[in-house]
Amino acid sequence: MIANTRQSDLPDSMRVVITGIGLTAPIGNNLAELREGLLNGRSGVVPYEIRYFGKTLAGVCNFEVNRHQSRKDARRGTRAGSIGIYCANEAMQNSGIEWDQVDHSTVGVYVGVTEHGNVETENEVYQIKGYDYDTSFWSHHHNPRTVANNPAGEVALNMQITGPHYTIGAACAAGNAGMIQGMQMLQLGECDIAIAGGVSESIHTFGIFAGFASQGALASHADPAKASRPFDKGRNGIVVAEGGCLYILERLSDAKARNAKIYGEIVGHAINTDATDFVLPNPERQAQCMNKALGRAGLNAEQIDIVSTHATGTSNGDTLECVAVRAVFGKSERTFVNNAKSFIGHAMGAAGAIELAGNIASFEDRMIHPTINVDDLDPDCDIPGLVQNQPRETGQVDYILNNSFGMLGINSALIVKRFTD
Amino acid sequence: MAPEEIRQAIIEILGDIAPDEDLTELNDVQSFRDQMELDSMDFLDIVMELRKRYRVQVPEEDYPQLASMESTVNYLIPRMADAPA
């Protein structure tokens, strides 16, 4: 039985708030840079080349790896680990928590991933090819690099966190799933501080590009900045991106006790499953997922100011999500709909977490970032409130609903409220 | 390879696997682990790099021979005699 208690009716010790944000995305390495890019139509998609597959496009991050990680550990670990370490340390600093004063056994690390291990396995196979596939040249670092908990474990090792750590494998719903896990672990008393969100190193595996290409779902365009174009008639697939976004989550009672800056409160969430197809989404289930999140938050659709869509730029995926969004929000006159993948591409396991961050800034600046590259709107995607190409000013933003969906029919929706006590 | 060239080859390997370390003051008779942050996985990196770069196979029972720069070079002199510098 799923509890349906409104979050705001709960005592402060059961309410979970966001008190820190650390991120790297193809258009910025902190919230301010990401937000500036989203409000100014700046694309982070660039020409990219990867072994076997060749020339393509990708969203590439350019953060300072060694700001929080030694060169030795960066060499020994994974790109996902480095992204996680950067985001977690930035988030902790951003939160204002006096890290040296924290009992590190009370901290939990919950990192969403779409996949993990493909990059490292491909690298090893590639390099033993140079030794005629003699497996004695296979790295002893392979197993610690590819265990599924690697990105979360690297964060824990780097920050000397001795509470729980693990990854949440949830395809491209993983960013939301990581946050939901963190929230629930705080509510269960499993930790006092949760570092939660998602990371992705997927641009470093040729397999993901080749797989999407074989599926007819990899974007191409002469102008890289125009390649990721959800809702546009000319969309032709996904631009793969790397990135990460980890949040510091705390119980409201703890955040208040230290006078923390509160970015927002998680007031609704849902994860459900299509159970219909490996790849094709099911809009009926997506709508159920959004409605379940609304129900848990005790909200109706008209109260949501922003729906951050999952839309990846595939022909079917965008159309079907629009069916779901229209079913839930079609009659809401105040709800704006937007999309961040049009700027940065699809950051896979990090997507939901980054996209939420991009909208959380609306609570303060009261702007709605658009979805860009809509030159010729697909009539099937002409949903009410879609903010196209230019940002919109609004009076006040109180609620954001963040959609993130993934393969094998996993759907997630997270509702974050501008914090008011 | 001459002993000094072998030493330089080891310095290059150490530089790659422990890029944060300053190797200019390395004491050749003191063990690596007393002077650097090297754990067992790093040590295996030295073995792996010798295998990859110079096709030198170091059997496990010989690992103690790689404790310091001096013992490593002495151990490798006969095994890398034919390796191109």
Side-chain angles (χ1 to χ4, degrees):
Chain A
M1 182 64 194
I2 295 166
N4 216 1
T5 309
R6 283 197 309 176
Q7 211 90 2
S8 55
D9 293 339
L10 296 171
D12 286 1
S13 60
M14 290 294 283
R15 293 169 65 182
V16 173
V17 293
I18 296 168
T19 57
I21 302 174
L23 65 87
T24 179
I27 56 171
N29 298 315
N30 55 53
L31 181 59
E33 289 176 7
L34 174 69
R35 186 62 175 168
E36 179 277 323
L38 291 170
L39 292 180
N40 289 295
R42 187 156 53 81
S43 168
V45 178
V46 295
Y48 185 71
E49 191 165 355
I50 187 163
R51 78 164 72 96
Y52 302 141
F53 189 78
K55 290 189 163 81
T56 183
L57 303 168
V60 180
C61 292
N62 185 24
F63 66 98
E64 190 188 335
V65 173
N66 301 122
R67 180 180 290 186
H68 305 290
Q69 187 183 30
S70 70
R71 288 189 295 164
K72 180 179 166 184
D73 283 351
R75 174 187 176 275
R76 193 161 159 166
T78 64
R79 177 70 170 173
S82 294
I83 289 171
I85 286 166
Y86 177 85
C87 294
N89 280 279
E90 292 288 301
M92 193 56 72
Q93 287 182 4
N94 180 251
S95 74
I97 289 171
E98 290 184 46
W99 184 234
D100 293 346
Q101 306 301 312
V102 170
D103 174 354
H104 291 196
S105 70
T106 65
V107 181
V109 184
Y110 309 100
V111 180
V113 289
T114 288
E115 50 80 30
H116 184 75
N118 287 314
V119 173
E120 297 72 26
T121 305
E122 286 178 11
N123 285 346
E124 288 305 311
V125 172
Y126 177 75
Q127 70 95 27
I128 67 164
K129 182 182 170 208
Y131 303 97
D132 197 23
Y133 296 104
D134 178 347
T135 56
S136 68
F137 291 93
W138 190 271
S139 175
H140 49 287
H141 295 301
H142 176 72
N143 292 346
R145 282 176 182 154
T146 57
V147 285
N149 62 319
N150 168 280
E154 285 203 40
V155 169
L157 194 58
N158 173 271
M159 298 179 74
Q160 293 295 288
I161 291 165
T162 57
H165 87 264
Y166 47 88
T167 51
I168 295 91
C172 301
N176 272 354
M179 294 191 70
I180 291 168
Q181 185 75 21
M183 175 194 78
Q184 292 172 332
M185 291 300 108
L186 285 164
Q187 289 173 329
L188 286 171
E190 292 287 323
C191 61
D192 293 332
I193 296 170
I195 301 176
V199 300
S200 174
E201 62 175 17
S202 293
I203 66 164
H204 303 281
T205 154
F206 74 86
I208 204 155
F209 291 93
F212 281 137
S214 296
Q215 193 191 328
L218 188 72
S220 60
H221 199 284
D223 177 0
K226 286 281 190 184
S228 187
R229 45 196 314 118
F231 313 123
D232 186 82
K233 255 189 194 167
R235 68 187 183 276
N236 62 8
I238 293 167
V239 173
V240 185
E242 66 172 349
C245 181
L246 295 175
Y247 294 86
I248 302 301
L249 305 181
E250 293 178 86
R251 290 183 284 265
L252 177 59
S253 46
D254 292 337
K256 274 183 178 171
R258 67 177 189 87
N259 288 318
K261 172 184 168 71
I262 295 175
Y263 285 92
E265 177 179 2
I266 302 175
V267 295
H269 72 280
I271 295 180
N272 74 352
T273 306
D274 294 342
T276 46
D277 192 79
F278 280 76
V279 178
L280 268 185
N282 179 330
E284 193 181 339
R285 296 286 169 271
Q286 291 178 343
Q288 284 173 353
C289 186
M290 288 183 259
N291 279 323
K292 189 186 275 187
L294 287 168
R296 282 205 178 120
L299 298 170
N300 55 50
E302 288 73 22
Q303 290 173 276
I304 298 293
D305 299 283
I306 301 171
V307 173
S308 176
T309 58
H310 174 75
T312 62
T314 63
S315 178
N316 275 331
D318 292 11
T319 304
L320 293 172
E321 184 177 358
C322 286
V323 170
V325 171
R326 195 178 288 115
V328 179
F329 295 98
K331 293 191 176 121
S332 171
E333 292 183 0
R334 64 170 290 181
T335 304
F336 293 107
V337 179
N338 68 4
N339 179 283
K341 291 188 181 74
S342 53
F343 298 78
I344 63 175
H346 186 353
M348 315 304 290
I354 294 173
E355 292 160 13
L356 175 66
N359 276 312
I360 273 181
S362 300
F363 291 146
E364 288 189 5
D365 64 25
R366 300 178 181 189
M367 300 287 289
I368 316 289
H369 82 68
T371 185
I372 57 170
N373 293 331
V374 185
D375 296 333
D376 186 8
L377 180 64
D378 180 347
D380 289 340
C381 299
D382 188 5
I383 42 179
L386 185 65
V387 182
Q388 300 169 49
N389 302 318
Q390 295 297 326
R392 290 274 296 268
E393 276 187 66
T394 187
Q396 185 165 299
V397 175
D398 290 322
Y399 291 100
I400 297 162
L401 184 143
N402 193 52
N403 276 340
S404 259
F405 310 132
M407 287 187 178
L408 281 302
I410 184 167
N411 305 310
S412 71
L414 193 69
I415 301 175
V416 175
K417 177 181 184 286
R418 180 173 64 86
F419 180 69
T420 50
D421 202 2
Chain B
M1 261 188 180
E4 189 47 42
E5 290 166 336
I6 294 173
R7 185 185 188 280
Q8 189 53 38
I10 303 302
I11 288 287
E12 283 170 18
I13 289 173
L14 290 173
D16 286 344
I17 66 175
D20 307 298
E21 301 276 352
D22 177 9
L23 300 171
T24 55
E25 307 265 307
L26 193 73
N27 180 330
D28 283 16
V29 294
Q30 208 178 348
S31 80
F32 291 129
R33 287 198 188 183
D34 285 348
Q35 306 173 74
M36 304 168 61
E37 280 188 33
L38 284 185
D39 62 20
S40 59
M41 293 291 271
D42 299 320
F43 187 77
L44 288 172
D45 269 323
I46 300 175
V47 174
M48 177 64 84
E49 291 307 311
L50 286 169
R51 187 182 299 143
K52 281 184 180 172
R53 299 181 193 192
Y54 303 105
R55 295 297 197 274
V56 175
Q57 298 288 351
V58 183
E60 198 170 343
E61 59 268 25
D62 290 349
Y63 288 177
Q65 305 287 330
L66 307 187
S68 71
M69 181 61 90
E70 186 181 66
S71 68
T72 303
V73 172
N74 287 338
Y75 174 76
L76 291 174
I77 286 170
R79 291 166 179 81
M80 289 176 67
D82 299 331

